[in-house]
Amino acid sequence: QVQFVESGGGLVQPGGSLRLSCAASASFFSGYIMGWYRQAPGKGRELVARITSEGITAYADSVKGRFTISRVNAKKTVYLQMNSLSPEDTAVYYCNRDPASIDYWGQGTQVTVSS
């Protein structure tokens, strides 16, 4: 059974930072390409960052230069460091494999950027 549990969200002021964590229970985690996704109110879910098993990363244009994805395979954990946050980053953030598996969506963690 594969499960991803996200944490680290919260309320932050514009310009602030947050670090999200995703803990995985998966035997083959180290071989997965992992992604952070987000879903803003009234919008579809979008991939914002991905990282291969070797640590190669890619980002959506909207977060490039502000967000950093990383992973520690020994801990089966993926992180998303988010800096220079803006209200447009307000969303529920999820982690999943890339491409995402419909069976592996967790509850997500809410990020709200507001003054």
Side-chain angles (χ1 to χ4, degrees), residues 43-87:
K43 296 187 177 180
R45 199 169 298 184
E46 63 170 339
L47 176 68
V48 297
R50 68 193 299 268
I51 185 167
T52 69
S53 56
E54 297 85 6
I56 299 171
T57 59
Y59 301 91
D61 288 343
S62 58
V63 307
K64 199 172 294 183
R66 301 187 298 120
F67 290 12
T68 302
I69 188 171
S70 60
R71 67 192 294 166
V72 178
N73 288 334
K75 294 185 177 181
K76 296 185 178 180
T77 302
V78 181
Y79 303 97
L80 187 67
Q81 177 67 43
M82 306 186 296
N83 299 327
S84 302
L85 286 162
S86 72

Side-chain angles (χ1 to χ4, degrees), residues 8-20 38-41 62-63 66-67 80-93 109-115:
L11 173 64
V12 63
Q13 292 186 341
S17 298
L18 282 175
R19 188 193 195 205
L20 307 183
R38 70 184 181 186
Q39 187 166 19
S62 58
V63 307
R66 301 187 298 120
F67 290 12
L80 187 67
Q81 177 67 43
M82 306 186 296
N83 299 327
S84 302
L85 286 162
S86 72
E88 289 69 35
D89 297 314
T90 294
V92 180
Y93 285 71
T109 186
Q110 174 71 48
V111 172
T112 302
V113 185
S114 175
S115 55

